[in-house]
Amino acid sequence: MSDFLKHCTPWPEALAGEYRRKGYWRGQTFSALLDERAEQYGERLAVVSGQTRWRYRDLAAEADRLARGFSALGIGPKDRVVVQLPNCAEFFAVIFALFRMGALPVFALPAHRKLEISYFCQHAEAVAYIIAGQHGGFDYRNLASEVKAVSPGLQHVLVLGDAGPFTALHDLPDGTLPAPPEASDVAFFQLSGGSTGTPKLIPRTHDDYIYSLRGSAEICQLSPESVYLCVLPAGHNFALSSPGSLGVFYAGGTVVLSNNSSPDHVFPLIAAERVSVTALVPPLVPVWLDAAASLKPDLSSLKVVQVGGARFNSEMAARLVRELGCTLQQVFGMAEGLVNYTRYDDSDALVLHTQGRPISPDDEICVVDDEDQPLPAGEVGHLLTRGPYTIHGYYRAAEHNARSFTADGFYRTGDLVRQTAEGYLVVEGRAKDQINRGGEKISAEEVEHLLLAHQGVADVAIVAMPDAFLGEKSCAFVIRRDASLRAVELNAYLRKLGIAAYKIPDRIEFADAFPKTGVGKVSKKILRQIIEQRLLVASQSG
Ligand code: OOB
């Protein structure tokens, strides 16, 4: 067994056999899928991004050119490649090129910085890192130089646009393609929202992911006429596959990309491209609704707005339906697998007050207490799940896997849910040590570890605090060694280390000691209450 495979946990044979027998896993790879679509829908528009308009045949041809180029550089099957591109047509050409040759993209977010990217490169032993030269006022080539200096296995930095000292994507040599991968092979790595010291990589296979696309495309009634606007980061699981861009390609529709989610930019795009469906995180919804009320844009083509990634309150849900006059679809999913949708013909009660039900009849849902015992129907408990597109293990994380999965292979989502009589899930809270900052996930432990390494910090605990706009923000409680240490210094320290800006604590509260639980652990529950109370008092006096 290769080293690589040793680090990926396959589905147990009995389940895999069942998923194949039931026709969920059909033995198709992404490469074969794109070829099939290029054959069927060659002249139809696949991707729109700025001035770029690619038909399916253009996308397939560009993926082919890149695959030959990657191959000529020496990138081969099973090689890991960290992909950090903004929302652009080339993102899809790059990933389909890697799929075609059986190389494995790791989907980094544009917001990731030195610490995260070097960790992905080192942990995945990546041979290549693919970036846009410059984007959003940030020079990724500088980042790449820093990453390269600490990642000995990284052989290639490939750049979209002006490559500087690196290799330009538009100027690759021509090579020959290796034998294609198998559908049961890992196709790429998603990133976990995480609740541990280091981010976790999620291996997804062609078989399992394509099943989730097919299921999603069906539920979302996608067709070649569908036009999907992608404003969330294209590599995130929601925007990629729920149904996301790949679900739209599955159906032969068109993906319109934007790096800017602001109404001024997006409303004219919706009108011009006749966008029919889009996906938002909750904080974007009031921004769009307020702007729609004053700008009165032409949104007549827009039939469905999906909202997911974080808790969406039911008043805002009702406002969306009322004011935009389109169908709301709540989406509760996770990069590890399981995705739930409200359905288009569901009652208002289900659409406004639940986060939907699973894609597959074979998604197993268990709601359990702290001792893993099943709870009576309708009670709130930990959500465990297993199914045809939910992983059985993170990549190279044996110890963590023992905690994150039950002995019979159920994934511990860390979400607290209840299941309605109709089988719909309502997300009631979270047991995992994570902050959900308007859909962006922060692992408390990851940032705590970094702060603890600062010489002025004796102890630290990071918790979520309520925020009117984002739903939650992060608050770091810090015990100082030195009373002169200031919050700005800690923030500057984190920024200098190189972490994504959204992980930098929104607020730092200094403390002399932490409240403890009965067993002597830091009580984050009490810390959350303390900061909530302080914010309340501040808002009343301010
Ligand atoms: C999506 O994926 P991730 O991996 O960034 O985050 C998953 C976690 C869930 O475990 C849950 O804690 C939270 O995000 N979440 C929601 C939610 N959707 C996700 N919490 C409350 N309400 C919702 N609707 O976020 C993701 C992946 C695929 C589709 C949609 C979202």
Side-chain angles (χ1 to χ4, degrees):
M1 187 188 281
S2 79
D3 260 9
F4 166 73
L5 286 176
K6 203 170 65 196
H7 295 309
C8 297
T9 316
W11 274 261
E13 258 320 308
L15 281 176
E18 198 176 319
Y19 298 152
R20 289 200 179 91
R21 239 183 347 268
K22 290 188 168 169
Y24 301 148
W25 296 357
R26 296 187 180 170
Q28 189 179 41
T29 62
F30 278 103
S31 180
L33 177 65
L34 183 61
D35 287 344
E36 202 177 284
R37 293 301 172 268
E39 183 79 17
Q40 283 172 292
Y41 302 121
E43 298 305 318
R44 294 193 77 106
L45 197 55
V47 199
V48 176
S49 172
Q51 298 307 308
T52 306
R53 303 179 82 80
W54 283 348
R55 298 163 298 177
Y56 273 88
R57 67 208 300 269
D58 303 321
L59 174 59
E62 188 56 12
D64 205 63
R65 179 189 73 80
L66 287 173
R68 291 171 190 283
F70 295 157
S71 194
L73 291 177
I75 300 173
K78 308 264 188 300
D79 280 346
R80 274 76 68 196
V81 176
V82 175
V83 177
Q84 186 183 34
L85 289 171
N87 288 3
C88 58
E90 290 82 1
F91 171 84
F92 295 109
V94 163
I95 68 170
F96 275 108
L98 295 169
F99 295 158
R100 177 152 298 195
M101 42 192 302
L104 312 175
V106 177
F107 292 120
L109 296 172
H112 286 138
R113 292 295 178 259
K114 181 185 159 196
L115 229 49
E116 288 103 355
I117 301 290
S118 18
Y119 176 77
F120 302 147
C121 288
Q122 292 161 12
H123 186 65
E125 298 169 302
V127 300
Y129 172 36
I130 303 184
I131 55 173
Q134 236 178 353
H135 176 72
F138 183 75
D139 196 323
Y140 287 86
R141 290 161 300 197
N142 294 340
L143 173 58
S145 299
E146 293 184 304
V147 168
K148 202 156 187 294
V150 294
S151 311
L154 194 63
Q155 293 162 31
H156 309 281
V157 174
L158 304 172
V159 185
L160 175 63
D162 179 2
F166 303 116
T167 308
L169 274 182
H170 65 254
D171 192 22
L172 298 179
D174 194 22
T176 45
L177 291 177
E182 303 276 333
S184 55
D185 289 346
V186 171
F188 58 84
F189 293 94
Q190 273 288 348
L191 302 179
S192 162
S195 56
T196 56
T198 50
K200 296 289 171 281
L201 301 186
I202 298 169
R204 301 287 302 258
T205 64
H206 298 261
D207 267 335
D208 92 76
Y209 214 64
I210 291 178
Y211 169 55
S212 84
L213 298 182
R214 189 168 60 245
S216 298
E218 219 165 89
I219 289 165
C220 301
Q221 301 174 13
L222 298 182
S223 75
E225 308 306 320
S226 301
V227 181
Y228 174 78
L229 173 66
C230 177
V231 289
L232 303 177
H236 184 269
N237 203 50
F238 186 12
L240 193 62
S241 70
S242 307
S245 305
L246 294 184
V248 171
F249 293 148
Y250 187 89
T254 303
V255 174
V256 177
L257 294 152
S258 171
N259 285 296
N260 183 341
S261 60
S262 80
D264 296 353
H265 181 79
V266 154
F267 288 172
L269 198 56
I270 293 177
E273 302 296 341
R274 303 295 296 161
V275 167
S276 57
V277 50
T278 191
L280 302 179
V281 287
L284 290 175
V285 174
V287 178
W288 281 34
L289 294 184
D290 292 348
S294 65
L295 300 173
K296 308 236 175 330
D298 172 13
L299 302 180
S300 57
S301 60
L302 192 61
K303 300 288 178 276
V304 177
V305 175
Q306 301 183 295
V307 181
R311 191 182 184 80
F312 188 41
N313 93 38
S314 51
E315 285 88 60
M316 194 55 77
R319 227 190 110 188
L320 189 157
V321 173
R322 205 168 50 238
E323 295 180 20
L324 291 188
C326 46
T327 300
L328 162 67
Q329 180 172 50
Q330 296 217 35
V331 188
F332 163 43
M334 51 209 70
E336 286 80 358
L338 181 70
V339 179
N340 304 275
Y341 297 101
T342 56
R343 306 305 203 256
Y344 294 169
D345 55 359
D346 280 343
S347 67
D348 284 354
L350 288 174
V351 172
L352 300 180
H353 299 286
T354 81
Q355 280 65 59
R357 64 180 161 87
I359 294 176
S360 175
D362 277 274
D363 279 321
E364 300 173 68
I365 298 292
C366 275
V367 182
V368 301
D369 66 15
D370 290 346
E371 273 72 50
D372 280 357
Q373 295 308 307
L375 287 164
E379 284 194 22
V380 178
H382 302 277
L383 170 62
L384 311 182
T385 186
R386 188 170 74 168
Y389 58 98
T390 297
I391 57 160
H392 281 244
Y394 294 104
Y395 177 65
R396 268 181 90 180
E399 209 177 296
H400 181 62
N401 285 341
R403 274 176 277 131
S404 293
F405 297 85
T406 65
D408 44 6
F410 280 76
Y411 166 55
R412 299 181 190 277
T413 65
D415 292 313
L416 296 174
V417 303
R418 78 185 152 80
Q419 195 167 24
T420 68
E422 302 93 340
Y424 283 59
L425 295 175
V426 180
V427 183
E428 297 281 4
R430 192 167 56 233
K432 56 190 164 191
D433 197 8
Q434 185 184 81
I435 294 99
N436 189 335
R437 197 177 183 277
E440 291 184 308
K441 317 300 187 307
I442 304 166
S443 159
E445 193 177 299
E446 184 185 348
V447 184
E448 286 164 1
H449 278 177
L450 298 174
L451 283 173
L452 268 177
H454 187 285
Q455 55 180 10
V457 173
D459 205 356
V460 54
I462 299 183
V463 297
M465 62 180 183
D467 180 75
F469 179 61
L470 290 173
E472 290 175 19
K473 278 186 173 178
S474 67
C475 176
F477 282 88
V478 172
I479 303 178
R480 298 179 268 208
R481 286 191 203 286
D482 165 3
S484 69
L485 180 67
R486 300 192 2 252
V488 285
E489 287 174 54
L490 290 178
N491 286 346
Y493 160 80
L494 286 177
R495 210 163 284 124
K496 188 146 171 278
L497 280 181
I499 64 168
Y502 67 84
K503 294 184 188 169
I504 295 187
D506 293 290
R507 187 178 174 111
I508 291 180
E509 293 279 305
F510 292 111
D512 295 327
F514 291 149
K516 295 283 164 63
T517 64
V519 292
K521 279 178 34 184
V522 174
S523 172
K524 291 204 165 180
K525 188 170 162 206
I526 300 180
L527 288 175
R528 280 193 293 272
Q529 289 164 353
I530 292 174
I531 188 60
E532 212 168 304
Q533 190 58 33
R534 284 185 193 165
L535 292 172
L536 191 67
V537 171
S539 74
Q540 284 163 349
S541 65

